[in-house]
Amino acid sequence: MYARAMGKLPSAGPVTATGTASHNIHGHAIAITVFSTIKWWGKAVLPVLFAVTKRVPKLTETLVQLSFIHFARWSVIKELPYNGEPQTKRKLRYPHMYFESNFNGGWEEYIDAFSHILTSGMAAFWGSSYGFPKALPTAPFKKYIQVNETEASHYYSAYPDATITMIKGALDVDEKLASLKRDAAKLDPAAFGTAYQRFLTEAQRSL
Amino acid sequence: MAERVTMDLADIQGDILRAYGNDYDCTSYAFVKIGCPPERARAWFSGLLEHVTTAELWDAGKPLTTLNVAVTAAGLTALGVSDEVLGSFSKEFREGMSSRAALLGDVGPSAPETWESGLGNGDAHVLLTINAQQTTEHERALGLMKAAMADAGGLRIVYQEDTQLLPGSREHFGYADGFAQPAIEGSSDKKARGGGVPLKDGAWRALAPGEFILGYPDEDTRDDPKRRLPTAPVAPLGKSAAYMVWRKLYQDVARWRRVMRDAAELYAGGDEHKLAAKVVGRWSDGTPLVTHPDKPDPEFDASGPGANDFRYDSDLNGRRCPLGSHVRRSNPRDALGFEGHLSFRHRMIRRGMPYGKELAEGVLNDDGIDRGLVFVSFQASISRQFEGVQVQWLNTGNLFGLGHDTDFILGDPGGKGKMTIQGAPPFFLSPQEAFVKTRGGEYLFVPGITALAALADGTAG
Amino acid sequence: MSSKNNVNGQASGFQSMTPIRPGEEHDLRAYLEAMHENGSPLARLPRTHMARFVIVENFHNDPSWGQRKEEHLDLWYLIFTSNLDGDIDSYLDELCEALAPEAREIWGRCVGCPEETKGDALKAYLKHNQIDCGFFYAAYGSSTAAEVEAALAQRDQVIAFATRVQGLSDEELQRSFLAEFGTT
């Protein structure tokens, strides 16, 4: 039977994870980690923004269509838990925002897409952060991200060879293949031939 | 709102904005190594300047020959440019093409170890590109060039490629080539229809000149209220200039023909012209597949204004022009959606020329002759434009929803070069060994006329 | 009790931010940077899709940004995030078991980490320092890592099969299909 690739690095495949430091890369997956300091009013506005974005699918429609991102998150850090000496027990002066993403393609292409295509989204999520230039023009926005970005020390993907479109395609193929597998033995050859061609025609965008 | 820009054509070298290859019989590329001290090299370099062809339009008719000059990072150092000034050039230019081989997919049979002697090893300093009307002019120009080098001493040609147009302006796989170019504001605005950025309402617009020529606003800075210009090397070098990519690509024509013939047996009843058109995205005469999916257009004129006026919005499933076909990958136009914003900053001016004797029609066995394409492109950013396309659009298919499928016309020794020809049902081409192999290349810089004089004077810093 | 904002489909996002003991920062970084050499230990947690360790030295303060007071971290911090299947609580149980050998070198270098760098003690430490997501995005949050991996392998299998069987008769095609994909 067919062997499963469990987290193995690709043998000699194309390089697509470009434009970022080496520890941010595992196969075709790139990690980006960005901190920013939030203005006082962001503490109230951001949770509302998060809640609305979660409940209104249309707002993430473009993000989904772009198919660059596996997983991403924004968190607001209001305080750091105390763990004893030598950590100082004090409150943070400002809230801080943590952003991370796991994506495919190059770093430049990724930030370009956010700058040109998710312009208002960027303004919504980073507008309350100190120093945020607008998302356009791109050059100052890229500089802002670079200055606030931290390189990972260790980055891991369970399927480093795969991209989001491949995964979505694979899940789609699985669904379509299931019914063909179910009927395969029962059909006469001619009927099977037709069913198989129909499966290929419907699944071709995922192959 | 962006102001209209006028380009200082007298300060820009002509080969960037003009396709001299179409106007002349022969094009020679001579890579010179400077083995003498910078002062002597600069004296020789000054001697070239009066012959350099600018981008100004010719009112007195076409000159018999044209000359253009480009330099590598090593060449700048050999001409006496300081490390500090060199540091203002882009990282990829300073590293050089051969050190970026893994990124570009120049591995296995395309690895720098297999390249022509003189390319990719730091020997190439100055590239002289000479176009000539006929062989006599060509010989005279080369003779003059060699004489000037002999006079200076310590200079030698480490690699030379002589090229000429094939009949019908085809490349060696038989396809009309070179006529699809970006429309540049202030230079080729009339090519906007089909050559520019596709807008939502069906209109097109030309690209900002700074996408190709340094010192001008680009697509990012054109609307900047602070009027900042794009990153460029320090003055005077960073104005009226462009980065240049030069790549010698061997084409295995015999094997291409055999693979197409064999694969066509299972596709469209043996119609290998149709299968090949599906791989390329155009018929061999240049007719776009997306507008003419069944056969070429007898009226098609590659040099006509409408030759590139097409979009992919009526073919988002790739049933007419496959999603992974070569031209669709190299210039996706509106195919990626989002008003072209995923592709509009990755255009290149291409000025390549085929090299080597043609393989006679119908011959399916290799004759051992070296033939292929000298790929030449001009752009403001090698990494965003040339490398971006090579790495993200040709060497993988992710952005097109094609997983790791590579551009089939290149072939892929890594085994991931399968191609889906969309249809009902689809047809699959299995991965093939490389049809195209890199035989050498360099990243270069094409200074403006003022900058050339500064380099010759030793005042470039 | 973990926030609902940590959930997307069947997937969850976990994050911990723990202060690093002064003097141990560079050793920790070197250890983490070398961790891929013998294969990431995170591969022992099959419920993990993607995870990272990030060392944060300080907040970025730029006077031109209009921030009235500067904000500095008194210590360097270690961030660990994971995009995982199912609930965080049982995932942490698995992590504190499977990563016990590495945990000593990683969280063992952090302030307040229990002497016993595994099991319930480690789990309590990580939960004490947990940061909830505000907004968690997942492109395929309803699929587990195992399902994703199996689907990817199957996609490759289908492509290879579909290319191979072009031109076969219906009978041969059906036979090949049943041989390749089983009859179950």
Side-chain angles (χ1 to χ4, degrees):
Chain A
M1 280 313 284
Y2 210 82
R4 277 168 37 162
M6 277 281 285
K8 293 205 185 73
L9 293 171
S11 44
V15 172
T16 62
T18 57
T20 190
S22 62
H23 292 290
N24 283 329
I25 299 170
H26 188 195
H28 293 276
I30 296 186
I32 184 172
T33 313
V34 179
F35 262 100
S36 58
T37 305
I38 306 170
K39 299 173 187 175
W40 66 272
W41 50 270
K43 200 157 67 166
V45 164
L46 283 171
V48 176
L49 173 68
F50 296 154
V52 169
T53 312
K54 187 173 177 176
R55 273 157 194 65
V56 183
K58 198 167 188 302
L59 293 174
T60 41
E61 203 173 54
T62 308
L63 197 61
V64 172
Q65 273 168 16
L66 279 172
S67 294
F68 279 14
I69 301 178
H70 295 267
F71 299 92
R73 73 179 75 175
W74 284 261
S75 313
V76 175
I77 301 168
K78 291 180 280 229
E79 62 191 6
L80 290 169
Y82 185 61
N83 291 277
E85 298 273 308
Q87 190 183 358
T88 341
K89 190 172 191 161
R90 65 164 167 78
K91 285 179 172 301
L92 287 175
R93 286 188 173 142
Y94 297 94
H96 296 267
M97 186 163 77
Y98 172 86
F99 167 71
E100 74 159 47
S101 175
N102 301 267
F103 67 96
N104 296 130
W107 187 96
E108 290 277 346
E109 287 79 7
Y110 181 72
I111 305 296
D112 277 340
F114 275 69
S115 173
H116 290 286
I117 300 169
L118 288 165
T119 324
S120 43
M122 291 301 96
F125 280 80
W126 271 282
S128 54
S129 292
Y130 283 103
F132 175 71
K134 306 223 202 94
L136 281 173
T138 313
F141 175 60
K142 261 187 196 148
K143 195 136 189 286
Y144 179 75
I145 300 288
Q146 258 162 359
V147 149
N148 283 318
E149 187 183 347
T150 307
E151 186 186 355
S153 296
H154 180 77
Y155 179 54
Y156 166 80
S157 166
Y159 32 84
D161 195 33
T163 65
I164 294 100
T165 58
M166 282 166 75
I167 293 167
K168 292 209 257 194
L171 294 169
D172 178 55
V173 167
D174 185 48
E175 211 181 288
K176 296 188 157 95
L177 186 65
S179 40
L180 185 64
K181 280 200 266 193
R182 203 178 45 234
D183 299 335
K186 297 182 237 159
L187 298 169
D188 70 66
F192 175 77
T194 311
Y196 174 75
Q197 302 302 342
R198 193 171 55 239
F199 157 74
L200 276 188
T201 305
E202 285 169 2
Q204 62 188 298
R205 293 296 305 277
S206 300
L207 292 171
Chain B
M1 205 61 237
E3 281 172 13
R4 252 202 84 78
V5 173
T6 33
M7 280 203 266
D8 184 359
L9 298 178
D11 198 36
I12 300 170
Q13 286 201 52
D15 57 345
I16 302 172
L17 294 178
R18 312 276 170 242
Y20 294 145
N22 292 343
D23 294 323
Y24 290 88
D25 280 356
C26 332
T27 306
S28 283
Y29 303 96
F31 288 92
V32 176
K33 178 176 180 174
I34 295 170
C36 56
E39 305 82 51
R40 272 233 307 275
R42 287 198 294 266
W44 161 74
F45 199 76
S46 316
L48 296 170
L49 301 196
E50 61 177 302
H51 303 288
V52 169
T53 314
T54 72
E56 289 163 296
L57 296 163
W58 297 321
D59 41 16
K62 199 163 69 175
L64 293 171
T65 60
T66 68
L67 171 70
N68 289 105
V69 178
V71 287
T72 61
L76 286 171
T77 304
L79 285 167
V81 170
S82 70
D83 284 346
E84 199 193 326
V85 168
L86 190 59
S88 68
F89 284 75
S90 71
K91 176 165 175 280
E92 63 275 13
F93 167 76
R94 287 180 281 118
E95 286 178 1
M97 189 192 283
S98 57
S99 6
R100 296 169 78 81
L103 171 73
L104 296 175
D106 287 337
V107 298
S110 293
E113 295 77 57
T114 68
W115 289 9
E116 304 279 7
S117 162
L119 294 175
N121 63 350
D123 279 355
H125 290 163
V126 179
L127 170 63
L128 303 177
T129 304
I130 295 169
N131 286 278
Q133 284 272 44
Q134 307 132 353
T135 332
T136 42
E137 287 309 321
H138 183 237
E139 277 164 13
R140 197 179 66 86
L142 286 173
L144 283 173
M145 176 185 74
K146 289 184 178 138
M149 283 169 52
D151 283 344
L155 302 164
R156 66 182 174 92
I157 297 175
V158 289
Y159 190 76
Q160 181 169 332
E161 195 74 57
D162 298 323
T163 70
Q164 52 204 91
L165 283 179
L166 294 179
S169 294
R170 307 266 171 131
E171 50 73 57
H172 280 286
F173 288 149
Y175 286 79
D177 192 25
F179 56 94
Q181 298 291 347
I184 305 169
E185 192 188 306
S187 171
S188 49
D189 294 80
K190 56 182 180 336
K191 288 200 172 144
R193 216 178 97 224
V197 182
L199 302 172
K200 251 204 297 211
D201 52 6
W204 300 77
R205 67 168 176 81
L207 287 149
E211 290 294 301
F212 309 99
I213 315 280
L214 296 168
Y216 290 90
D218 64 10
E219 287 292 323
D220 186 39
T221 63
R222 68 192 311 177
D223 295 322
D224 182 6
K226 292 194 185 155
R227 310 206 143 283
R228 287 167 283 207
L229 281 177
T231 312
V234 293
L237 295 166
K239 191 171 179 300
S240 302
Y243 285 103
M244 177 185 191
V245 174
W246 192 99
R247 254 163 109 68
K248 176 175 176 173
L249 300 173
Y250 166 76
Q251 291 175 257
D252 192 341
V253 180
R255 198 154 59 75
W256 164 258
R257 289 176 181 171
R258 287 198 306 276
V259 168
M260 284 294 104
R261 182 204 54 186
D262 294 343
E265 278 172 33
L266 289 175
Y267 178 79
D271 188 347
E272 57 185 283
H273 294 290
K274 179 141 189 214
L275 179 61
K278 287 284 187 180
V279 172
V280 174
R282 288 186 191 255
W283 296 93
S284 55
D285 67 349
T287 309
L289 203 57
V290 75
T291 52
H292 293 78
D294 301 310
K295 53 186 197 302
D297 176 7
E299 319 264 290
F300 182 77
D301 175 15
S303 53
N308 301 306
D309 185 10
F310 61 90
R311 299 179 181 224
Y312 296 109
D313 57 350
S314 59
D315 187 39
L316 292 176
N317 276 325
R319 297 297 178 94
R320 296 170 151 221
C321 180
L323 302 178
S325 69
H326 177 69
V327 307
R328 196 161 174 159
R329 281 172 184 264
S330 324
N331 182 13
R333 297 156 181 268
D334 63 331
L336 299 173
F338 307 110
E339 295 176 60
H341 279 132
L342 288 174
S343 51
F344 78 133
R345 301 212 62 207
H346 299 278
R347 305 292 302 281
M348 289 172 269
I349 297 171
R350 291 175 306 119
R351 299 275 181 241
M353 289 288 289
Y355 75 90
K357 194 166 151 305
E358 280 181 282
L359 185 65
E361 208 180 308
V363 174
L364 298 177
N365 292 307
D366 189 41
D367 58 357
I369 301 283
D370 185 15
R371 62 175 63 85
L373 180 75
V374 169
F375 171 89
V376 173
S377 71
F378 297 101
Q379 56 274 296
S381 166
I382 294 173
S383 70
R384 189 179 75 242
Q385 290 158 282
F386 168 69
E387 292 183 345
V389 172
Q390 180 82 6
V391 172
Q392 305 290 351
W393 294 1
L394 303 188
N395 288 350
T396 184
N398 183 46
L399 201 57
F400 313 109
L402 302 171
H404 291 313
D405 292 356
T406 62
D407 188 347
F408 190 83
I409 203 174
L410 303 176
D412 175 35
K416 293 188 198 270
K418 88 117 170 46
M419 180 173 179
T420 306
I421 301 193
Q422 283 82 22
F427 182 72
F428 300 98
L429 287 165
S430 40
Q432 299 292 327
E433 281 176 39
F435 294 113
V436 175
K437 298 178 195 176
T438 313
R439 307 277 316 117
E442 295 289 346
Y443 286 154
L444 302 128
F445 184 74
V446 185
I449 305 300
T450 318
L452 282 175
L455 277 170
D457 272 346
T459 57
Chain C
M1 196 52 190
S2 197
S3 157
K4 283 210 176 70
N5 292 330
N6 292 327
V7 175
N8 187 314
Q10 60 82 46
S12 298
F14 174 74
Q15 180 174 7
S16 67
M17 191 160 163
T18 50
I20 304 170
R21 280 211 284 273
E24 310 222 30
E25 301 93 340
H26 295 282
D27 285 343
L28 176 56
R29 176 177 276 154
Y31 180 83
L32 290 170
E33 287 185 352
M35 217 157 66
H36 263 302
E37 279 165 28
N38 296 318
S40 176
L42 292 162
R44 286 179 231 140
L45 293 171
R47 284 165 60 184
T48 313
H49 289 261
M50 275 147 211
R52 69 186 68 181
F53 287 96
V54 183
I55 292 179
V56 176
E57 299 179 25
N58 200 357
F59 293 126
H60 187 85
N61 293 282
D62 185 319
S64 71
W65 290 355
Q67 202 179 311
R68 294 244 299 275
K69 294 176 260 177
E70 291 198 353
E71 173 112 75
H72 294 277
L73 286 171
D74 52 347
L75 299 170
W76 290 23
Y77 275 76
L78 171 68
I79 291 180
F80 169 69
T81 65
S82 178
N83 300 284
L84 58 114
D85 295 320
D87 74 286
I88 288 173
D89 215 76
S90 59
Y91 178 81
L92 289 177
D93 285 330
E94 287 176 29
L95 182 149
C96 295
E97 186 67 49
L99 258 63
E102 287 80 13
R104 171 154 299 284
E105 305 286 337
I106 300 173
W107 290 290
R109 290 188 157 110
C110 294
V111 174
C113 185
E115 197 43 52
E116 203 191 5
T117 56
K118 60 182 175 128
D120 288 338
L122 178 61
K123 179 176 166 183
Y125 177 66
L126 292 173
K127 286 179 77 163
H128 175 70
N129 290 290
Q130 182 179 4
I131 293 171
D132 285 322
C133 297
F135 178 67
F136 176 48
Y137 172 84
Y140 40 89
S142 51
S143 303
T144 67
E147 283 164 358
V148 167
E149 286 157 39
L152 287 167
Q154 181 178 253
R155 178 180 172 276
D156 281 348
Q157 188 187 8
V158 171
I159 290 169
F161 176 80
T163 312
R164 203 166 68 232
V165 299
Q166 287 178 139
L168 291 184
S169 68
D170 288 338
E171 286 81 5
E172 290 171 312
L173 176 67
Q174 187 177 31
R175 246 198 323 272
S176 303
F177 184 89
L178 292 170
E180 184 74 36
F181 296 102
T183 43
T184 35

